[in-house]
Amino acid sequence: MADRLKQLDGIRVVSLEQFIAAPYCTQMLADAGAEIIKIERPGTGDPRRWYDPRIGPDDDYISGGFASYNRGKKSVELDLSTEGDRQVLHELLASADVLVSNLRPGSLDRQGLAPALLRERYPRLVICEISGFGTSGGPYANWPAFDSVIQGMSGLSSLVGEADGPPGLAPMGTMDLLAGIYATIGVLTALVARASTGSGAHVDAAMYDIGAAFLERPLTLHEYTGEVPTRGIDRFSPVGAFRAGDGQWVSIVIPTDEMWHRCCAALGAPELENDAELDTTLKRAERMSDTIVPLLEKWAEDKDRHEAMAVLRAAGQPAGTVQTIADVRACPQLAHRGLFAVVDDERARHDDGTPLSLPRLPLLFDGHSARPGPVPRLGENNDEFRRPHSPEVSR
């Protein structure tokens, strides 16, 4: 088995984390070689430890809601309401490079861990706080937030679903994952700056900010036109999906005149290139559903989705099959890239004995990929870090 990535070797991260956003951030750092010390509530730990589905023995299982965000970490149980455990935390912070937290707003302050105090005590420490609405104040500052709340408030839900239907939600923790990604960028940026300045930083990652920034295109369109993008037709982009002869779907976008010419060539219909109702990008966007998609479906009646996609691609027109999750898991390209990494844990086995594989950090470094570590049991590393107190050393 390949060695683990070592880009972040020597970086120690202490994380007061739960659910998805902060655990996803530290999972990426762990995949890149950082040491992650996950602080958990004694006896219960991260709430996602108990989520279904589960794999492994009934008394020692791994939750599917936990494994994706916590591989390769160390777990330490601390009750931060007690002076002794707070002292253990401070000893960890004295040797840490990064503190990540996505606790409720004000939790750090209430436990005597206000970032300003920590920055003074540990001047090299990078502190990353992930919250719903940020730590700088404002009318929403103290509101709790989960992914679905931010999907709605950011405007994403207003764009998901049918034009005449209710607002929709993306079927995974979209905003949690985005918050984790941006928080990771913030941590790495602060570490790079520390290398030259010697000083840490406070990274304030607000899910609401991140969600709104993610919707830069509809916000830009609104700024330019005054119109309010919503569910249904995208008036500025000819994008859609058509059904091939096998009943399966192909996704397509035709954003330029050149691509429209390629598409017409693939369809064997050069006369469409100069059709007055389809001769600009905006016209094609307006007529995507009622004209272009039916044309594509008529053309693809005698083709399966792979054949239709192949003809379009041969003409230089971008197109892709609409894959199920099972298709993605079995994709030969992703297998070639090694995206699905075996979980290095003896409990992570299916009933037939085959190992559990989950997506790794989706980056290659000089051709090498992450090898995610095992899923920590609750308090597995207590003995390593809850040893008799040693004199605190500021970094």
Side-chain angles (χ1 to χ4, degrees), residues 141-160:
N142 295 320
W143 290 10
F146 267 67
D147 179 85
S148 57
V149 173
I150 301 300
Q151 285 199 43
M153 293 189 66
S154 68
L156 178 61
S157 291
S158 75
L159 304 173
V160 176

Side-chain angles (χ1 to χ4, degrees), residues 3-20:
D3 290 336
R4 62 193 286 273
L5 292 180
K6 298 181 179 180
Q7 278 71 16
L8 296 180
D9 254 5
I11 297 296
R12 171 173 280 188
V13 179
V14 174
S15 194
L16 301 170
E17 61 179 28
Q18 58 184 354
F19 293 106
I20 297 177

Side-chain angles (χ1 to χ4, degrees), residues 203-237:
V203 180
D204 182 354
M207 290 176 65
Y208 190 31
D209 295 0
I210 291 165
F214 177 63
L215 298 181
E216 53 79 26
R217 183 173 179 273
L219 285 168
T220 298
L221 293 176
H222 175 64
E223 191 73 12
Y224 269 69
T225 67
E227 297 180 11
V228 181
T230 187
R231 299 179 298 290
I233 294 173
D234 185 335
R235 292 187 52 250
F236 293 91
S237 180

